[in-house]
Amino acid sequence: MHKLVHAWGFDRLEGPEQASFGVIVLELVTRAIAGCSNRPDDKLRLVPHVMANFDTVAQSGYESDQVGKNNIDDIEWLTRFLYEIGSLREERILGEFVLSERKRLLGEEHIATIRAMNNLAIMLGRQGNLSEAAQMQSEVLKKRRRILGEEHPDTLNTINSFATILADQGHLSMTAQMQREALEKRRRILGEEHPDTLNTMNNFAVTLAHQGHLSKAAQMQREVLEKRRRVLGEEHPGTLDTMNNFAITLTTQGHLSKAAQIQREVYEKSRRILGEEHPDTIHVMASLAISLEVQGRLLDAAQIGRKVLEKSRRVYGEEHRVTIDAMSSLALTLAEQGYLSDAAQIGREVLEKCRRVYGEEHPDTIEEMINYALMVGSQGHLTEAISLLEIALMKMREICGDEHPRVKRIMGHLAWFVDRSSREGLANAEK
């Protein structure tokens, strides 16, 4: 619907007429989306029309009380469309409206209201509002357990999505426990090859990799990938997500050539199917940049890393975890290229953002503390590097235990800098 038509509606029509007009257009918009081609650019062109029509319905419809259940169902459907094309800010605006209207029309404990709350919590998690998302998911889980029961599919969905948010907060042990529970129940209730079972397996494998159980993670990801290819198809977003996760695990295991090959394939498919600025495409680009950096292809890694950072800032904003990760990866690549001053400047900014967004005890904050310590240590600031690594070692031991690979890696870095500091101290004393 052209903007001039919307302007005419607001200028010439009264509130009730505007609401009726908006509801009719809402139906036209949903039909246009349903009939739209699969090309990302064609879908993105519909977003301004979706939001303009939503403004009409939300404002005039609410005032005249003409927004009914069917209209809310349509707007809830539009949130899924906005998610699929990566319009996260717009998705949240509609999601908040749907929850507010569900509460008004149906009450706090209606199944549809709880579903809207669950969906909004997932949206908040995707946008990096982890504390608010976790609080909302906890409330949804309590209600679904009480109303639907422990083994209802919706309850298991909430366990799975809540575990994802906890993982982003760094609570890996609790995440693994919840995912193991959801996986066991979904296998028994839905079967081994149900999409929901495969989704939980995919998430659980990522958690295992983050915990350092790389062999178990890779084995599970191979199984999920084989089943998703068969059940969903080669180019389904779920299949591409598992391919990318598997490639990340392979990179961590040192299988660099195979990982880069998979990531390049995923990137080309994501770009073609989802578009350049879809969150999934940005995620794959970021993984590819890391893989190239590990392979030593630093110029290519830096080039892609800058694109990822630019797109992340535009799509997510400055303090979203995707943007922070992109900054961190670029800083590491610059450090590898020898641009230590530039790398340390970005690394300091990343560490400050992690402390502000995640908190001091989050594993990502600790990792960025390690990265920044290595950068300043390489510049010769040994005392600062040692101090940061000692703090990081203490915090990581509390989270992972003494035998975790991350703890041992910090100990290795710390021993090297302490030795270097001692040797420089002896050399200065001799002078």
Side-chain angles (χ1 to χ4, degrees):
M1 186 65 63
H2 195 280
K3 290 181 179 180
L4 290 176
V5 179
H6 282 286
W8 174 86
F10 273 106
D11 288 343
R12 303 294 178 87
L13 301 177
E14 299 296 327
E17 293 173 316
Q18 288 179 12
S20 299
F21 171 76
V23 168
I24 293 169
V25 175
L26 176 61
E27 294 175 3
L28 293 174
V29 169
T30 56
R31 289 182 189 178
I33 291 171
C36 183
S37 77
N38 286 325
R39 290 183 55 204
D41 289 348
D42 290 343
K43 292 181 177 180
L44 286 169
R45 275 195 284 269
L46 291 172
V47 173
H49 303 289
V50 169
M51 298 311 295
N53 176 242
F54 167 72
D55 287 342
T56 301
V57 172
Q59 293 174 27
S60 58
Y62 184 84
E63 291 171 1
S64 60
D65 205 29
Q66 289 193 24
V67 179
K69 176 183 176 300
N70 291 337
N71 307 132
I72 302 303
D73 288 345
D74 287 338
I75 295 173
E76 189 170 41
W77 182 82
L78 289 174
T79 64
R80 293 195 290 274
F81 165 73
L82 292 168
Y83 163 67
E84 287 171 2
I85 61 174
S87 298
L88 301 184
R89 292 187 181 91
E90 291 83 356
E91 177 199 25
R92 177 176 174 176
I93 292 170
L94 268 64
E96 289 174 339
F97 177 79
V98 169
L99 177 57
S100 173
E101 288 298 284
R102 293 288 193 211
K103 286 179 177 178
R104 184 174 70 88
L105 295 169
L106 303 173
E108 292 278 350
E109 301 228 326
H110 192 280
I111 291 173
T113 305
I114 298 171
R115 183 183 66 237
M117 185 181 298
N118 183 71
N119 293 341
L120 180 58
I122 293 171
M123 295 174 201
L124 291 169
R126 279 197 290 262
Q127 292 192 320
N129 301 306
L130 300 179
S131 178
E132 188 178 355
Q135 184 178 352
M136 193 173 289
Q137 282 286 26
S138 178
E139 183 179 349
V140 170
L141 184 56
K142 288 177 185 175
K143 290 183 176 182
R144 281 185 161 170
R145 278 177 163 154
R146 187 178 72 252
I147 297 169
L148 302 175
E150 288 285 345
E151 297 195 346
H152 190 280
D154 288 350
T155 305
L156 298 180
N157 282 338
T158 302
I159 291 174
N160 192 53
S161 55
F162 190 15
T164 300
I165 292 169
L166 290 173
D168 288 340
Q169 289 183 308
H171 306 306
L172 297 181
S173 178
M174 193 185 304
T175 298
Q177 182 181 344
M178 293 179 72
Q179 288 170 336
R180 194 176 288 109
E181 175 193 353
L183 180 57
E184 177 189 330
K185 290 179 178 178
R186 279 182 160 171
R187 277 174 165 160
R188 177 164 46 81
I189 297 167
L190 302 175
E192 289 284 347
E193 296 199 348
H194 191 280
D196 289 349
T197 305
L198 298 179
N199 184 40
T200 302
M201 286 181 69
N202 181 63
N203 294 343
F204 187 31
V206 172
T207 301
L208 290 172
H210 287 161
Q211 289 181 309
H213 307 306
L214 298 179
S215 295
K216 288 182 181 178
Q219 182 180 352
M220 188 174 289
Q221 285 164 338
R222 285 191 188 92
E223 182 182 349
V224 175
L225 181 54
E226 176 189 337
K227 291 178 178 178
R228 276 188 157 172
R229 279 173 166 157
R230 187 168 62 250
V231 174
L232 302 176
E234 288 284 346
E235 297 194 342
H236 189 278
T239 305
L240 298 180
D241 181 49
T242 302
M243 287 177 69
N244 190 56
N245 292 337
F246 183 37
I248 293 171
T249 303
L250 290 174
T251 299
T252 309
Q253 289 180 308
H255 307 304
L256 305 182
S257 178
K258 179 66 174 175
Q261 179 184 345
I262 294 173
Q263 285 169 327
R264 201 169 287 109
E265 178 186 351
V266 175
Y267 172 56
E268 291 302 326
K269 288 180 177 178
S270 295
R271 188 171 62 173
R272 173 167 51 82
I273 296 166
L274 302 173
E276 285 280 354
E277 296 200 348
H278 189 280
D280 289 356
T281 307
I282 295 172
H283 178 57
V284 174
M285 285 180 69
S287 300
L288 179 57
I290 292 170
S291 180
L292 291 170
E293 191 266 332
V294 173
Q295 289 181 74
R297 297 174 55 183
L298 301 179
L299 287 174
D300 292 338
Q303 183 179 6
I304 293 177
R306 287 190 176 91
K307 288 182 180 178
V308 171
L309 180 55
E310 176 190 339
K311 292 177 187 295
S312 298
R313 281 174 164 155
R314 189 160 57 244
V315 172
Y316 292 102
E318 283 291 337
E319 297 205 338
H320 191 279
R321 68 174 299 109
V322 174
T323 306
I324 294 171
D325 287 348
M327 290 180 68
S328 174
S329 297
L330 181 58
L332 291 173
T333 302
L334 291 172
E336 287 290 325
Q337 289 180 300
Y339 302 122
L340 297 178
S341 178
D342 292 341
Q345 183 178 348
I346 297 174
R348 187 185 300 110
E349 185 179 351
V350 171
L351 180 56
E352 289 171 357
K353 288 186 176 183
C354 284
R355 283 171 165 159
R356 189 163 59 247
V357 175
Y358 305 143
E360 290 283 348
E361 309 299 321
H362 192 284
D364 286 1
T365 304
I366 300 169
E367 283 293 330
E368 295 308 329
M369 189 180 298
I370 298 165
N371 292 339
Y372 181 56
L374 298 180
M375 291 170 194
V376 297
S378 298
Q379 290 181 296
H381 306 301
L382 301 181
T383 302
E384 183 179 3
I386 291 169
S387 175
L388 288 168
L389 288 171
E390 287 174 340
I391 296 170
L393 178 60
M394 178 185 67
K395 292 177 182 293
M396 196 65 83
R397 271 178 167 158
E398 291 175 358
I399 295 171
C400 302
D402 286 339
E403 300 302 315
H404 194 280
R406 288 182 177 181
V407 172
K408 293 181 178 179
R409 180 167 58 90
I410 300 171
M411 291 175 68
H413 292 316
L414 182 58
W416 191 88
F417 280 114
V418 169
D419 179 66
R420 181 178 165 186
S421 179
S422 298
R423 285 188 282 108
E424 288 190 4
L426 288 173
N428 291 333
E430 289 175 0
K431 290 179 182 178

